[in-house]
Amino acid sequence: MTMADVTLTITQPANGAGLIGPVTLVGSAVGNTAGLFFKWFSSLNSAATEAKPEINPLDHSLAALSHAIPVLGEFGSHALVLAATDREGIDLASVKAITRSALAGGAPPAAPTPCVVHQLAGAQFLNPASDGLNLSKASATIDFLAPGAWLKPGPANTWVANTDYQALNGVLLSLRLEPDGPADAAHSADIALNLPALPFFRQNDKTWLRKTGPLPVNLGTGAYRLLLKASAGGQTVTVTRHINLSA
């Protein structure tokens, strides 16, 4: 296989971008595009199958460089790849027969022009499950969705930490508690989260992270807002629960 006499570039979304919803994809190809087929791939494409792992299974033409259907909606960090090959199929025989190819994007450090973007929409609580519930200052339990492919299948029907994804992940999660009323900095607190250090569990076909233990002592009691913030690339998505903070 040789590199094609064409250069690919991903122009949208930009490497490192924080996303707050699905986006369209835009790429460019400079050089001889004759006879090439164009495919987009994401490491978090929930619609991917073994036969059709690409984002754009219905159109591999040059027009696919502008993929107008919003995608990358899965919560977490996506390694995005744009590929051009002179064989349309993705089966092993077709891959072995490729003589011209070009790539853009992928994950560092292997990719010379990486494209990793961070979808923040989709952050959510599991516990507290709804507004109006109690949360103990002395012994709180807060569960929230883990970004991306946080776990991978392990032996004997178990799940284990997906360290490759966790190293790629750029979605930062944090918690904040503040009185449910006028601003009151003296009785508010931000809680940073070291995600790889948190216990995890599977429920509803999703991976959840758990924060337990006492809450900051400066917090009061009564009506509070519990905020889950997902941040990356200069963007933040906030999910709010209105809870009753008890001693």
Side-chain angles (χ1 to χ4, degrees):
M1 184 189 303
T2 60
M3 294 302 292
D5 46 353
V6 63
T7 300
L8 299 180
T9 303
I10 297 173
T11 58
Q12 179 181 301
N15 181 48
L19 310 178
I20 56 174
V23 295
T24 57
L25 306 178
V26 181
S28 66
V30 177
N32 179 17
T33 61
L36 294 179
F37 300 92
F38 299 86
K39 302 182 183 76
W40 293 93
F41 301 90
S42 166
S43 58
L44 291 184
N45 178 14
S46 62
T49 65
E50 184 175 353
K52 294 290 184 180
E54 67 269 38
I55 293 172
N56 58 315
L58 301 179
D59 183 8
H60 299 150
S61 72
L62 189 62
L65 289 175
S66 294
H67 186 68
I69 301 171
V71 291
L72 308 184
E74 296 85 357
F75 175 57
S77 296
H78 296 246
L80 184 62
V81 171
L82 173 61
T85 60
D86 62 352
R87 295 292 186 273
E88 185 170 18
I90 209 158
D91 57 281
L92 183 59
S94 296
V95 170
K96 286 183 175 180
I98 292 172
T99 59
R100 297 172 62 220
S101 67
L103 291 172
T113 57
C115 188
V116 178
V117 298
H118 314 287
Q119 179 59 258
L120 306 178
Q124 60 182 286
F125 285 108
L126 179 67
N127 176 50
S130 61
D131 291 339
L133 298 179
N134 292 330
L135 188 67
S136 167
K137 282 180 57 178
S139 181
T141 297
I142 303 169
D143 300 326
F144 43 88
L145 186 64
W150 197 256
L151 302 184
K152 63 182 179 181
N157 296 317
T158 62
W159 291 84
V160 298
N162 185 349
T163 53
D164 288 340
Y165 173 79
Q166 291 183 21
L168 178 76
N169 176 61
V171 175
L172 302 178
L173 297 178
S174 63
L175 298 169
R176 179 173 172 80
L177 283 148
E178 56 190 27
D180 201 354
D184 184 354
H187 298 99
S188 301
D190 292 298
I191 302 173
L193 299 171
N194 179 7
L195 301 188
L198 295 177
F200 53 71
F201 61 96
R202 293 281 295 178
Q203 186 171 317
N204 303 327
D205 281 333
K206 297 179 179 180
T207 299
W208 305 91
L209 300 175
R210 172 165 286 173
K211 173 66 175 176
T212 60
L215 298 175
V217 296
N218 67 302
L219 297 173
T221 58
Y224 261 74
R225 292 187 294 270
L226 171 63
L227 311 177
L228 172 64
K229 296 184 177 183
S231 303
Q235 300 280 4
T236 298
V237 166
T238 302
V239 183
T240 303
R241 283 284 185 269
H242 298 270
I243 53 99
N244 180 61
L245 198 57
S246 63

